[in-house]
């Protein structure tokens, strides 16, 4: 029987494996000219520095891991002082721009979303004034749009690299490797090659 720490570690590995599966799929969509055009437009917008408060503070405030859009919408809606503004834009991650939401709290830029995987306490962010949120046709959720087009989870400078990593990740999982270990293997091989590419 697993002791408490071993059980926690096993649970965390499962959660990180599930996150890896979702991320591999989300980042490997087919490239388009539209994506490259929007990437060029976004890179001309001003950048800001965003601070992420300590994870325990965020969890104590009922912020949900890896659910930035809901966290920021909720913060704005429930702020009695009306200082919080939900801002959607792009987190700069190497050569990728990740669709992300933060809060402008009276001029202070805050990321309210605790992460399952380790994340820096400060990062560069591009607020995008051309993003709007629309309700889905069934009214159960909202989707991000830019200039009338639904947004992917990221804008990628090197989409082909993400497709290669997704395919290798899938191959390793099909061979019987766990998602957690497959992600580690891909990070140590194709991920190293990818990180050597020019950042944004």
């Amino acid at each position: 029987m697993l002791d408490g720490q071993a059980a926690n570690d096993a649970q965390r590995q499962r959660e990180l494996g599930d996150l890896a599966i979702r991320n591999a799929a989300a980042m490997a969509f087919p490239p388009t000219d539209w994506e490259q055009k929007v990437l060029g437009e976004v890179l001309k917008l001003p950048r800001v520095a965003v601070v992420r408060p300590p994870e325990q503070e965020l969890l104590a405030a009922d912020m949900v891991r890896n659910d930035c859009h809901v966290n920021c919408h909720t913060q704005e809606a429930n702020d009695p002082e009306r200082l919080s503004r939900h801002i959607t834009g792009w987190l700069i991650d190497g050569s990728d721009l990740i669709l992300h939401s933060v809060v402008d709290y009276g001029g202070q830029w805050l990321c309210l979303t605790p992460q399952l995987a380790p994340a820096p306490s400060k990062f560069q962010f591009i607020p995008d004034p051309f993003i709007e949120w629309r309700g889905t046709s069934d009214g159960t959720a909202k989707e991000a749009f830019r200039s009338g087009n639904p947004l992917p989870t990221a804008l990628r400078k090197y989409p082909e690299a993400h497709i290669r990593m997704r395919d290798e990740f899938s191959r390793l999982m099909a061979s019987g490797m766990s998602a957690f270990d497959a992600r580690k293997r891909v990070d140590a091989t194709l991920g190293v090659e990818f990180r050597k590419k020019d950042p944004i």
Side-chain angles (χ1 to χ4, degrees), residues 44-173:
K44 294 174 184 173
L45 296 172
R47 303 176 183 199
V48 298
V50 175
V51 174
R52 181 179 285 116
E55 180 180 85
Q56 292 309 314
E57 288 182 20
L58 297 174
L59 292 173
D62 294 325
M63 297 300 166
V64 180
R65 290 188 193 279
N66 297 86
D67 203 352
C68 62
H69 308 308
V70 169
N71 288 337
C72 294
H73 172 78
T74 301
Q75 172 65 24
E76 181 182 84
N78 296 320
D79 179 0
E81 298 176 330
R82 300 290 179 227
L83 294 175
S84 302
R85 288 192 312 124
H86 173 190
I87 306 293
T88 305
W90 306 94
L91 183 156
I92 300 169
D93 183 25
S95 59
D96 298 317
L97 298 179
I98 310 299
L99 184 65
H100 191 57
S101 283
V102 301
V103 163
D104 174 0
Y105 184 76
Q108 184 178 12
W109 294 89
L110 299 173
C111 177
L112 301 181
T113 304
Q115 301 294 303
L116 186 57
S121 60
K122 191 173 185 178
F123 57 87
Q124 290 290 301
F125 179 78
I126 304 175
D128 190 340
F130 300 102
I131 294 176
E132 62 175 321
W133 289 92
R134 299 181 184 175
T136 55
S137 57
D138 62 6
T140 61
K142 292 193 174 216
E143 294 177 311
F145 281 73
R146 190 178 199 274
S147 302
N149 295 293
L151 282 171
T153 57
L155 300 172
R156 306 154 304 165
K157 188 174 182 181
Y158 303 106
E160 68 285 348
H162 286 288
I163 293 169
R164 284 179 60 212
M165 288 191 287
R166 186 270 321 269
D167 291 348
E168 178 63 6
F169 177 73
S170 298
R171 185 190 70 77
L172 291 170
M173 284 192 61

